Amino acid sequence: MSTLDWWRTGTIYQVYIRSFADGNGDGTGDINGLRSKLPYLADLGIDGIWINPWYPSPLLDGGYDVADYRDIHPSFGTLEDADAMIEEAHELGIRILVDLVPNHCSWDHVWFKAALQAAPGSPERARFHFTEGSVADDGTVGPPNNWKSVFGGPAWTQVDDGQWYLHLFDPSQPDLDWTHPEVREEFRSILRFWLDRGADGFRVDVAHGLAKDMDFPDLSDHVQILSSAKQPNHAHWDRDELHEIVREWRAVLDEYDGRMMVAEAWVSEESLPKYLRPDEYHQSFSFDLLMAAWNADAYRSTITSVYEPAKALGAASTWVLSNHDVMRHTTRFGLPADESWRTWPVTGPADALDTELGERRARVAALITLGLPGASYLYQGEELGLPEVWELPWDVLDDPVARRSEGTQKGRDGCRVPIPWTAAGESFGFGGPAWMPQPERFAAYATDQQIGVDGSFHSLYKDALRIRREHFVDDAELTWIDAGDGVLAYSRASGVRCVANMGAEPVPMPAGEILLTSMPGLTDELPSDTAVWLRPT
Ligand code: GLC
């Protein structure tokens, strides 16, 4: 394979392995299921796949609680299956990114089990953040400080001998102490393990974590997951010390040809460039569009704030509309502007959701983002217009966010429901009885209802990816066009323009040859919430 920087302009498809395709009929997605769908992904026209954690794990946070970084969860397959999958993907020209989870491991990891067996002050405990509790004036003992877990509740759990350990996420996810040389060496070795097996790179989980203020001061303010860690000199997010670790990893990747790593860093615009320095990450997700209001001005300023700093550094921008941590955007776009997608599944009202509007806007957002310079990350099912399953009953929810939210948030399971492949058949062709229930309405979104069907979401994505390869990948230039109120318009060096009417009123169809429209049948005008790609005539 060529070692060109494929990831700068690539489309990377995120596979939530548990819910993508089930190869052995046990109701859980697996590597062999993914293998069987590689031709589908190649036909869609993607360049790479990022696979959510597939390691042995008690799955108390969907696999982000890793018990062994050098093996595969038996429900997902074996190392041999992974090797075969990587080889088959490469034959189809598809790169594979593995999810690296360095901030924490699982409480089932051999290191943490040893730490629990060992005494306070032992070398086994030194790989984690074990410390004494704080003692109040009245003598009661509490957690060492006031840090909170991202999933709710305190970030500390007490063990039998009285010490406490730090977990910024679930108690089943003890944070590793990255000042410890063994932790550093172990992860360099884990990187090599997967690079040697042919992985093309890594998506790095909680890249803004890792380093902690080792004095463990109280925090005055708390930062929620997916809302950006925006305080300077925060005690456990986005600390300067973490960059030294990143540089060590980069040095390992640079021993190999053409490998890359992308950071999941929830940091401010001012901080992000540090992660993109030439000896650090190749790219970082930008989640700003997930938070942008639906209007042309907000989109333009958000896109500019992502594009310009990346360009200045010679890095590639990234565009994300959905992932396994947020409400699927077809549903998000169908909610009133002032509604919080985090809490709406609990609070309702259900009729606040306008499904048709959400789907229209999702099509527009696809043309806006897939036409931009940089990498686009697609979340499985996005190419089908799959909705959030926000109505999942509490008793099937699996996400620690739901468990720990005290009834205020249903968490992230609604975007992790198994993919419908066929309208008929058990679990809509996913495999055996799906581990998370799928709603009846999934039948209409199944791939066999959409592939080759004019006007379907799948056809829109497939056409968009083909045109993107033809017209958009040779340059990184983006030029804004003033197209009037409510209209977002830009052109690329090829001369191809994207014009999106995000306003309430229709506008005349701009001049040019229509390459693709967000909805079928658009010729003379662009109605509200439609978009077009045009080539100069
Ligand atoms: C990241 C993952 C999320 C996980 C968390 C803890 O934000 O995307 O799914 O729960 O890290 O590992």
Side-chain angles (χ1 to χ4, degrees), residues 36-71:
S36 73
K37 301 299 183 189
L38 288 173
Y40 165 85
L41 294 175
D43 175 68
L44 181 62
I46 54 127
D47 302 290
I49 299 174
W50 146 37
I51 303 169
N52 285 107
W54 54 3
Y55 313 101
S57 162
L59 300 180
L60 293 171
D61 178 21
Y64 282 94
D65 45 329
V66 181
D68 180 354
Y69 291 87
R70 294 185 185 79
D71 206 350

Side-chain angles (χ1 to χ4, degrees), residues 61 64 104 151 169 203 205-206 225 264 324-325 412:
D61 178 21
Y64 282 94
H104 44 263
F151 295 151
F169 292 86
R203 175 266 188 190
D205 189 59
V206 196
I225 191 174
E264 187 216 20
H324 66 295
D325 288 329
R412 303 164 294 176

Side-chain angles (χ1 to χ4, degrees), residues 300-321:
R300 180 168 168 166
S301 65
T302 304
I303 291 166
T304 304
S305 73
V306 173
Y307 169 72
E308 293 292 346
K311 186 181 169 201
L313 282 158
S317 315
T318 59
W319 310 106
V320 178
L321 292 169

Side-chain angles (χ1 to χ4, degrees), residues 471-485:
H471 296 287
F472 296 152
V473 295
D474 292 336
D475 71 279
E477 288 307 310
L478 171 70
T479 308
W480 291 109
I481 301 170
D482 194 358
D485 275 359

